[in-house]
């Protein structure tokens, strides 16, 4: 029978696609479910043979995998459709989507463990009668971190930004590896990190961490703390994890040999107060390490966006609160022997899609403005610039302040 292709030449090669029945057999999802996904537009195959036979390719398989994972998180099909339509990955870039899925699943595992512990505590107390406090704890624990759709969106956006840096940065050493080499810390040190995020700094330096170090990882977000705990190992005695506000650090004076604050002080409402807290908990002669960037960091991305739409913004203005030019003055009120060390790097981008995904992943207004026909026009705009220039060079100006108490 003559086969007809719609939308893509690859449909001419039937070895590269699966019928609905073949896909159902391969994945264990029923034909009825696949047809329903097609009917509501959640997973519509990109081609078909003459007649009614639908054909699915690898891109469709990737979308189906994401659908099933988001269903596992408990999201509705409409929510899943909204997420996937807004943040679909580029062809061949499934890896950072899978990493985002792994991150949010680890966060859900940690949340489930908290619920289990809360229920066990309530069960123990139930032997003595009903207890308002323990039952309230169970309710609060179940209620917390419930928006798994937003958790996934956040993780996916973070992985999108990491992907751009990893793929196009010109410095082969890597930012986290470079910072670690600047730390002048003795064996047996007690180290505190503020704003640890998902623990990436320690994961990327795992084999270089002295076994004698004691490391306390903290973050304002309890979800981030739990994700770091899952990634680094909750049973690893070298690490402790705690949700902490940098403006009110719950530790004794002169308790730590080093305090690290990587790319986070510009988000703290009262920066001077956080700096005083860092000074208070450091031992005499202890080291502070804070990283940030310059106000020129990735300005070319902002210029590119504005050249398309004057109202389109990419970069977070919070960086103006603590950056490479004013950070030394803010830290000098508490710390001496301050040194600014710069990380030499830039981005050389030669593809449109990873750059567009980065722009949409940022916390400004790109996700709202680059929708519908606008995203297609913006893609054409970026591709024209790439054709004219070959590559787009983006300034990366990162660095760290090292000081002593």
């Amino acid at each position: 029978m003559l086969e007809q292709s719609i939308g893509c030449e690859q449909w001419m090669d039937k070895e590269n696609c699966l019928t609905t029945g073949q896909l159902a057999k391969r994945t264990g999802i029923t034909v009825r479910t696949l047809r329903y996904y097609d009917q509501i537009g959640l997973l519509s195959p990109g081609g078909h043979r003459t007649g009614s036979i639908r054909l699915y390719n690898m891109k469709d398989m990737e979308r189906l995998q994401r659908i099933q994972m988001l269903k596992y998180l408990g999201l509705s099909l409409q929510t899943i459709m909204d997420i996937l339509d807004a943040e679909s990955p580029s062809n061949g870039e499934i890896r950072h989507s899978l990493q985002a899925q792994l991150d949010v699943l680890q966060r859900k595992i940690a949340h489930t463990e908290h619920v289990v512990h809360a229920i066990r505590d309530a069960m123990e107390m139930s032997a003595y009668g009903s207890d308002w406090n323990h039952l309230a704890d169970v309710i609060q624990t179940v209620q917390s971190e419930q928006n798994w759709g937003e958790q996934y969106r956040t993780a996916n956006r973070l992985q999108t930004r990491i992907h751009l840096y990893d793929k196009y940065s010109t410095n082969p050493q890597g930012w986290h590896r470079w910072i670690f080499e600047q730390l002048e810390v003795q064996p047996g040190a007690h180290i505190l990190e503020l704003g640890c995020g998902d623990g990436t700094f320690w994961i990327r330096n795992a084999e270089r961490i002295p076994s004698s170090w004691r490391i306390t990882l903290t973050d304002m977000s309890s979800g981030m703390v739990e994700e770091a705990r899952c990634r680094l190992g909750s049973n690893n005695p070298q690490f402790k994890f705690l949700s902490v506000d940098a403006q009110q650090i719950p530790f004794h004076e002169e308790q730590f040999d080093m305090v690290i604050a990587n790319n986070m002080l510009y988000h703290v409402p009262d920066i001077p107060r956080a700096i005083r807290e860092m000074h208070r908990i450091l031992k005499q002669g202890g080291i502070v390490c804070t990283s940030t960037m310059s106000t020129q960091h990735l300005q070319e991305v902002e210029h590119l966006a504005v050249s398309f739409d004057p109202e389109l913004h990419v970069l977070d203005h919070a960086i103006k609160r603590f950056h490479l030019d004013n950070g030394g003055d803010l830290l000098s009120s508490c710390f001496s022997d301050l040194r600014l060390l710069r990380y030499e790097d830039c981005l050389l981008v030669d593809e449109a899609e990873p750059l567009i995904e980065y722009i949409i992943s940022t916390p400004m207004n790109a996700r709202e403005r680059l929708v519908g026909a606008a995203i297609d026009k913006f893609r054409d705009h970026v591709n024209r610039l790439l054709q004219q220039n070959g590559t787009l060079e983006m300034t990366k100006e990162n660095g760290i302040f090292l000081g002593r108490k």
Side-chain angles (χ1 to χ4, degrees):
M1 181 184 293
L2 178 65
E3 293 183 358
Q4 182 179 15
S5 169
I6 291 182
C8 178
E9 290 183 359
Q10 66 180 305
W11 295 113
M12 298 297 290
D13 181 3
K14 61 184 179 182
E15 297 300 323
N16 289 336
C17 56
L18 299 173
T19 65
T20 304
Q22 290 170 335
L23 184 62
K25 186 175 181 180
R26 181 71 64 88
T27 62
I29 299 172
T30 66
V31 170
R32 182 178 180 180
T33 297
L34 291 172
R35 287 174 176 167
Y36 181 66
Y37 287 173
D38 185 7
Q39 178 184 342
I40 65 175
L42 179 60
L43 180 68
S44 298
H48 61 77
R49 294 173 182 166
T50 301
S52 60
I53 299 177
R54 300 294 196 262
L55 296 177
Y56 296 83
N57 71 351
M58 183 55 68
K59 184 177 180 181
D60 299 323
M61 177 72 94
E62 291 173 359
R63 183 175 175 95
L64 179 59
Q65 184 275 324
R66 298 174 82 203
I67 290 169
Q68 294 306 105
M69 193 282 296
L70 293 170
K71 276 187 65 181
Y72 176 74
L73 289 175
L75 305 186
S76 69
L77 294 182
Q78 183 59 56
T79 299
I80 294 171
M81 190 183 306
D82 292 342
I83 290 174
L84 298 190
D85 289 346
E87 297 185 346
S88 59
S90 301
N91 291 338
E93 300 300 347
I94 188 63
R95 179 179 172 79
H96 72 262
S97 172
L98 290 172
Q99 183 61 58
Q101 295 172 38
L102 180 61
D103 289 347
V104 75
L105 285 171
Q106 288 174 325
R107 200 174 301 178
K108 184 173 183 179
I109 290 169
H111 176 252
T112 302
E113 288 178 350
H114 271 308
V115 174
V116 169
H117 289 315
I119 291 175
R120 284 177 175 165
D121 288 344
M123 288 177 64
E124 289 179 4
M125 294 305 299
S126 68
Y128 307 100
S130 298
D131 182 271
W132 283 91
N133 291 332
H134 283 83
L135 291 177
D137 287 345
V138 173
I139 294 170
Q140 289 179 2
T141 304
V142 171
Q143 286 294 105
S144 66
E145 304 287 353
Q146 283 281 308
N147 191 347
W148 297 111
E150 188 55 39
Q151 295 280 351
Y152 175 75
R153 290 185 182 97
T154 300
N156 200 38
R157 291 165 191 161
L158 175 61
Q159 288 302 320
T160 295
R161 294 194 288 273
I162 291 173
H163 171 70
L164 186 78
Y165 294 146
D166 286 348
K167 188 170 185 179
Y168 298 107
S169 292
T170 58
N171 191 325
Q173 184 178 21
W175 167 242
H176 296 99
R177 304 281 291 184
W178 177 81
I179 292 179
F180 193 91
E181 290 189 358
Q182 314 311 312
L183 304 182
E184 303 170 355
V185 186
Q186 300 299 316
H190 194 181
I191 299 170
L192 171 70
E193 182 177 16
L194 299 170
C196 68
D198 62 4
T200 294
F201 175 74
W202 302 99
I203 290 169
R204 294 198 171 187
N205 289 289
E207 84 286 357
R208 306 199 295 181
I209 302 172
S211 59
S212 62
W213 284 8
R214 293 173 296 148
I215 303 165
T216 301
L217 301 187
T218 71
D219 199 285
M220 186 70 170
S221 165
S222 58
M224 281 296 175
V225 172
E226 293 309 318
E227 188 165 347
R229 188 199 306 271
C230 285
R231 297 182 75 191
L232 288 161
S234 57
N235 296 321
N236 188 336
Q238 190 169 17
F239 290 94
K240 293 183 179 179
F241 304 88
L242 189 67
S243 178
V244 165
D245 181 352
Q247 300 166 115
Q248 193 172 0
I249 303 174
F251 295 111
H252 299 301
E253 295 180 4
E254 300 192 358
Q255 191 168 341
F256 295 92
D257 299 285
M258 168 172 273
V259 176
I260 299 172
N262 282 332
N263 288 5
M264 57 79 66
L265 278 177
Y266 42 76
H267 290 305
V268 177
D270 191 339
I271 295 174
R273 181 178 178 183
I275 291 173
R276 291 194 298 271
E277 280 290 275
M278 293 161 66
H279 178 270
R280 179 183 64 81
I281 62 171
L282 264 180
K283 296 177 182 177
Q284 195 64 38
I287 300 171
V288 64
C289 174
T290 65
S291 70
T292 186
M293 56 202 76
S294 80
T295 54
Q296 297 304 307
H297 184 76
L298 297 184
Q299 279 298 316
E300 294 86 353
V301 179
E302 186 80 8
H303 296 158
L304 183 154
V306 172
S307 71
F308 173 75
D309 175 0
E311 299 301 318
L312 182 60
H313 299 290
V314 178
L315 304 182
D316 192 339
H317 298 304
I319 187 58
K320 295 180 179 179
R321 303 181 63 242
F322 183 88
H323 51 81
L324 294 182
D325 293 326
N326 71 355
D329 292 336
L330 290 166
L331 291 166
S332 64
S333 63
C334 290
F335 300 103
S336 59
D337 298 330
L338 280 169
R339 290 182 293 150
L340 170 58
L341 304 179
R342 294 179 180 269
Y343 176 71
E344 299 298 329
D345 197 10
C346 72
L347 293 176
L348 294 178
V349 181
D350 59 4
E351 298 175 274
E353 210 59 34
L355 183 58
I356 293 169
E357 289 182 347
Y358 174 89
I359 289 170
I360 293 174
S361 77
T362 60
M364 303 305 284
N365 67 353
R367 286 194 301 278
E368 289 74 34
R369 298 192 71 85
L370 294 178
V371 295
I375 186 66
D376 295 326
K377 291 179 180 178
F378 184 62
R379 184 175 288 107
D380 292 339
H381 178 68
V382 176
N383 278 318
R384 280 195 300 271
L385 292 175
L386 285 169
Q387 290 172 2
Q388 294 170 8
N389 300 284
T391 60
L392 299 177
E393 182 173 346
M394 311 289 177
T395 301
K396 282 185 71 180
E397 292 190 353
N398 301 91
I400 62 172
F401 291 100
L402 289 175
R404 288 188 180 276
K405 178 174 177 179

